[in-house]
Structures are given as C-alpha cells and as structure tokens.
Amino acid sequence: MDGLGENLKKVVLAGIGAVAVTAEKSKELLDEMIKKGELTVEQGKVLNEELKHNIKKTVKEKVNVSVKPSSPEELTELLGKMTTEQREELKTLLKELEEQKAEREEPEEKTEQEPDKQQDEEGHR
C-alpha cells in the first residue's frame, strides 16, 4: 500500500505542477496579448488624432460658413453664444480690419492734400 500512497502523492503533485505551469504560461500569454492590445490602442489613438487634425484642416480650407444677422438682436444673440476665445479672435480681426482701412485711407488724404500744396506753391511764385 505504501507504493499506492506514493504514487497518489506523485500524481497530486504532478497535477499541482501542471496547474502552476499552466497558470504561469497563461499569465505570460495574457501579458503578451495586453501588450499587443495596448499597442493597438495607442496606434488607434494616434490615428484618431491624425484624422481629427486632417478633418479640421480640410474644414478650414474647404468650408466657408457665414452667418448674417438680420437684426441687432440676432447679432447680440450670436455674440452671446461665442466663447471667450472666439470673442478675442473677433476683437483681433476687427482691429486688423480697422488698421487696414486706415492704411487705405491715408494715401487718399495725401493725394487730396497735394493739389493744395501745388496751389500754395503757385500762389507764392
């Protein structure tokens, strides 16, 4: 009977060893799959960011949306819906447009003043 007890003990220990090896191999396989999955997730995130960037770029280049308020109330409503950043951009744009308008008007004023100078010079001769 001693032989049977020893054999049974060996079978149980072999079973425990097999379970331990299987668990270890399973963990390694699972870790490898997680790594591959994380890599795929990271690649997906990068691809997603690239797509977002490309879409934004394409929209900026190809889409032109203009909103024309028909009343001061609608204009006020549109301005109220704008974010702080959008309002700052609008202020900057308005300032640039005013500067451009002032630059265009300056040469007109000079050309209008030049005939006066000519008359003054002719009068002094």
Side-chain angles (χ1 to χ4, degrees):
M1 283 289 238
D2 261 346
L4 183 62
E6 278 298 311
N7 287 338
L8 188 57
K9 185 177 178 182
K10 287 180 183 179
V11 169
V12 171
L13 290 176
I16 291 172
V19 170
V21 169
T22 303
E24 189 175 305
K25 290 293 181 184
S26 297
K27 185 177 182 325
E28 288 175 11
L29 180 63
L30 185 60
D31 288 343
E32 185 178 325
M33 290 174 72
I34 289 172
K35 285 180 187 175
K36 286 182 181 179
E38 286 175 354
L39 181 62
T40 304
V41 169
E42 289 302 316
Q43 289 172 338
K45 286 180 183 178
V46 169
L47 181 60
N48 190 24
E49 288 301 317
E50 288 177 11
L51 288 173
K52 283 185 199 176
H53 177 72
N54 290 341
I55 288 171
K56 286 180 183 179
K57 182 179 175 186
T58 303
V59 167
K60 283 183 180 180
E61 291 174 355
K62 307 285 183 190
V63 178
N64 184 11
V65 177
S66 62
V67 178
K68 296 180 182 178
S70 60
S71 68
E73 292 82 18
E74 286 183 11
L75 179 60
T76 303
E77 183 181 339
L78 286 172
L79 291 173
K81 290 179 181 179
M82 293 174 73
T83 65
T84 304
E85 293 84 19
Q86 290 171 329
R87 281 190 290 255
E88 290 301 318
E89 286 179 29
L90 179 60
K91 287 177 186 177
T92 303
L93 178 62
L94 289 172
K95 185 176 179 180
E96 289 173 2
L97 290 173
E98 287 175 8
E99 290 171 357
Q100 289 174 1
K101 183 178 178 185
E103 288 174 4
R104 283 194 307 265
E105 289 176 355
E106 282 179 17
E108 290 175 12
E109 291 174 5
K110 287 181 181 177
T111 54
E112 290 174 8
Q113 291 176 357
E114 286 179 10
D116 292 339
K117 288 181 182 178
Q118 288 176 353
Q119 286 176 0
D120 287 343
E121 289 175 6
E122 289 174 5
H124 290 295
R125 287 187 195 166

